[in-house]
Amino acid sequence: MCGVVGIVSQRPVNQAIYDALTVLQHRGQDAAGIVTWGEDGLRQRKSNGLVRDVFRHRHMLRLTGNVGIGHIRYPTAGDSRAAEAQPFYVNSPYGICLGHNGNLTNYDELAEMLTKEDRRHLNTGSDSEVLLNVFAHELQTRANGNPTAEQIFDAVEAVHRRCKGGYAVVALMVGIGVVAFRDPHGIRPLVLGERQAGEGTDYIVASESVALDVLQFERLRDVRPGETVFIENKGVLHSREYRGETRHTPCIFEFVYFARPDSILDDLSVYKTRLRMGEQLAGKIVRDFPDHDIDVVIPIPDTSRTSAAQVAYHLGVKYREGFIKNRYIGRTFIMPGQAERAKSVRYKLNAIDLEFRGKNVLLVDDSIVRGTTSRQIIKLAREAGARRVYFASAAPPVRHPNVYGIDMPAVTELIANGRSVEEIEKLIGADRLIYQDLHGLIRSVRHDNSSITEFDTSCFSGEYVTGDVTDEYLHEIEQRRNDAEKQRRKGKRKGKRKDRAAIDGPAAESTDAAVGM
């Protein structure tokens, strides 16, 4: 999962993009990047780290121009290194920079075609670089001089025909404008907004509406599935809906975990969906555990707070904050290895004994993926003196890999895969485990938008909406992206860096330059 933003403005955009990336930081903590265009040419800064660490005052001064895009990265494809920080850049045609949220399921096929048939070189193992080169190739075959809006739209439609998977994209075309588009299934979110600026209009596209709010943009609408938005440098907006087949199936896990509660995605309030998840979960608890002896409901901060409050209200028991969170440690779900995730839970959460001592506690979390966090938190609750520890998940069991941009590729790392609820209950050490039903989750999310009839629920149901995900593909990505393989690649990169340093001396893995100069 990543976050993207693109802005065309009447004034410099460096600070606005920085602020937008800051409020989208929850979508990725691995790397950050900004590219701007103005009288000084194309300027970029990108590196590994949080937004606040990547961009210093000196970097911001160099990011001049009224047009720009930004990206924060959480790696699902490729490696976790600065060379794969986005936006990516290709010189031909025009000079194009691109940031991407999602994952291409036909990456291997596309990479081979690009190198053998389109004669394009790939520098990384990132599917985002592949997507950029597909777009660049399709545009180059259609336009000789400055491209028209129709030529750009045609190029993106060709991208849709070639690329499979889930993706939301922002691209900066040097001297031309910003292009944004969303996959024909609308799996990954993308929101369009505007702001009046003197005699002109500023435009923004971003992964979540919260980025618009903080910059005081008015939310116009979501970019529709397959739609392309083109904003000229002079502030003229063009858009065209996809003329091929579309099927609006947004990722339901965005509402469960990834999106901020104050965001609106596909005309759905994330906060309200989580309220209803709590209502549905309370109903499930009453049905499955009618004679419960729960004394207090305690959320696992932060994502589950909204749902947990509703669970407590409908059960008629106390709601209490029993864990204090260290806000200087990132989201454990998106940490790169099992050991790091397990260790981080201890550093991230501390229990308030007063809320646990001698009580039967119901802990509520948004979901259970690998089970690492759940097991550690239950242990913390027992150490704090809880008599019984019950555990409830606002989402159904995660039994299948997610292949559209969320790091759940290795089925062997999913605690619910091939196990019953009772077996999971024993593994995480709970006295009782209650899961949300899938139909209850769907009912909670789609409540206020009847135009959405289905969601991508693949990690719960095993049904992949793009129709191209085979058992062979799932096996292949599991071999590539399980924790053991990630650690092997990480160790290999460290060894190469040591060898290089011994020969060349230290080198900084970051990019801070006038692109193409």
Side-chain angles (χ1 to χ4, degrees), residues 108-255:
D108 290 335
E109 173 191 337
L110 288 170
E112 183 176 5
M113 189 178 298
L114 281 168
T115 54
K116 291 184 177 179
E117 297 181 20
D118 297 348
R119 298 292 189 266
R120 285 187 168 268
H121 175 71
L122 299 175
N123 295 302
T124 71
S126 171
D127 60 336
S128 302
E129 189 189 14
V130 164
L131 202 157
L132 167 60
N133 277 275
V134 170
F135 175 53
H137 174 79
E138 295 299 338
L139 191 59
Q140 194 165 33
T141 62
R142 288 167 171 78
N144 292 319
N146 279 357
T148 65
E150 290 303 309
Q151 288 171 329
I152 292 171
F153 295 150
D154 288 344
V156 174
E157 291 205 355
V159 170
H160 291 327
R161 290 192 292 271
R162 292 180 66 177
C163 296
K164 306 298 180 186
Y167 49 90
V169 173
V170 293
L172 186 155
M173 299 176 62
V174 174
I176 298 169
V178 168
V179 179
F181 54 92
R182 194 177 180 191
D183 68 83
H185 287 82
I187 297 172
R188 301 268 70 90
L190 198 60
V191 185
L192 172 66
E194 68 174 7
R195 178 179 66 189
Q196 296 307 308
E199 296 181 0
T201 303
D202 295 345
Y203 289 100
I204 184 172
V205 284
S207 293
E208 294 185 32
S209 66
V210 67
L212 283 59
D213 297 338
V214 75
L215 298 175
Q216 297 184 305
F217 278 82
E218 178 187 354
R219 177 181 170 273
L220 289 177
R221 59 180 175 81
D222 297 275
V223 176
R224 300 179 184 94
E227 182 185 14
T228 307
V229 172
F230 168 46
I231 309 161
E232 296 182 45
N233 282 349
K234 58 186 177 182
V236 179
L237 175 71
H238 308 267
S239 67
R240 189 173 86 185
E241 294 199 36
Y242 184 42
R243 293 178 297 190
E245 183 181 352
T246 61
R247 176 184 168 198
H248 196 185
T249 56
C251 175
I252 205 164
F253 209 73
E254 288 276 359
F255 299 92

Side-chain angles (χ1 to χ4, degrees), residues 481-493:
R481 301 187 199 168
N482 61 61
D483 277 345
E485 176 61 18
K486 287 177 183 176
Q487 292 303 314
R488 187 193 68 79
R489 290 200 303 264
K490 185 177 179 181
K492 190 175 180 181
R493 288 197 308 274

Side-chain angles (χ1 to χ4, degrees), residues 418-432:
R419 294 188 177 98
S420 67
V421 174
E422 291 74 21
E423 289 172 325
I424 303 166
E425 180 181 283
K426 185 177 294 186
L427 277 171
I428 65 174
D431 291 298
R432 190 159 194 148

Side-chain angles (χ1 to χ4, degrees), residues 163-433:
C163 296
K164 306 298 180 186
Y167 49 90
V169 173
V170 293
L172 186 155
M173 299 176 62
V174 174
I176 298 169
V178 168
V179 179
F181 54 92
R182 194 177 180 191
D183 68 83
H185 287 82
I187 297 172
R188 301 268 70 90
L190 198 60
V191 185
L192 172 66
E194 68 174 7
R195 178 179 66 189
Q196 296 307 308
E199 296 181 0
T201 303
D202 295 345
Y203 289 100
I204 184 172
V205 284
S207 293
E208 294 185 32
S209 66
V210 67
L212 283 59
D213 297 338
V214 75
L215 298 175
Q216 297 184 305
F217 278 82
E218 178 187 354
R219 177 181 170 273
L220 289 177
R221 59 180 175 81
D222 297 275
V223 176
R224 300 179 184 94
E227 182 185 14
T228 307
V229 172
F230 168 46
I231 309 161
E232 296 182 45
N233 282 349
K234 58 186 177 182
V236 179
L237 175 71
H238 308 267
S239 67
R240 189 173 86 185
E241 294 199 36
Y242 184 42
R243 293 178 297 190
E245 183 181 352
T246 61
R247 176 184 168 198
H248 196 185
T249 56
C251 175
I252 205 164
F253 209 73
E254 288 276 359
F255 299 92
V256 171
Y257 176 79
F258 270 103
R260 274 181 43 153
D262 46 344
S263 282
I264 296 174
L265 305 179
D266 290 306
D267 292 323
L268 294 166
S269 163
V270 177
Y271 176 75
K272 289 179 71 175
T273 64
R274 290 180 184 167
L275 283 175
R276 288 192 291 269
M277 287 178 207
E279 295 170 5
Q280 293 289 329
L281 183 57
K284 179 75 182 300
I285 293 168
V286 169
R287 292 193 300 273
D288 290 1
F289 195 9
D291 55 346
H292 72 80
D293 55 355
I294 299 167
D295 297 316
V296 62
V297 173
I298 293 177
I300 311 303
D302 286 316
T303 322
S304 65
R305 281 196 171 105
T306 309
S307 296
Q310 285 296 91
V311 170
Y313 174 78
H314 287 280
L315 293 183
V317 301
K318 294 177 182 177
Y319 170 89
R320 290 289 186 269
E321 293 285 342
F323 294 104
I324 299 301
K325 181 179 179 181
N326 181 346
R327 300 190 180 281
Y328 300 99
I329 293 182
R331 305 180 93 177
T332 52
F333 173 81
I334 61 179
M335 288 185 173
Q338 190 82 334
E340 286 90 342
R341 285 187 289 268
K343 183 173 67 174
S344 178
V345 173
R346 283 282 179 174
Y347 297 155
K348 182 179 179 180
L349 296 176
N350 192 42
I352 302 174
D353 288 13
L354 177 67
E355 298 297 350
F356 291 92
R357 187 73 56 192
K359 297 177 183 177
N360 297 333
V361 178
L362 173 66
L363 303 180
V364 177
D365 207 350
D366 52 78
S367 58
I368 305 171
V369 181
R370 296 170 177 89
T372 310
T373 302
S374 307
R375 189 182 302 114
Q376 292 289 327
I377 287 172
I378 290 170
K379 188 177 180 182
L380 282 175
R382 294 198 188 281
E383 290 172 355
R387 185 166 59 239
R388 292 192 183 90
V389 181
Y390 308 123
F391 204 95
S393 168
V398 177
R399 300 189 186 278
H400 306 275
N402 182 290
V403 300
Y404 301 127
I406 298 176
D407 194 15
M408 300 178 189
V411 69
T412 54
E413 294 172 8
L414 304 177
I415 193 170
N417 183 265
R419 294 188 177 98
S420 67
V421 174
E422 291 74 21
E423 289 172 325
I424 303 166
E425 180 181 283
K426 185 177 294 186
L427 277 171
I428 65 174
D431 291 298
R432 190 159 194 148
L433 174 62

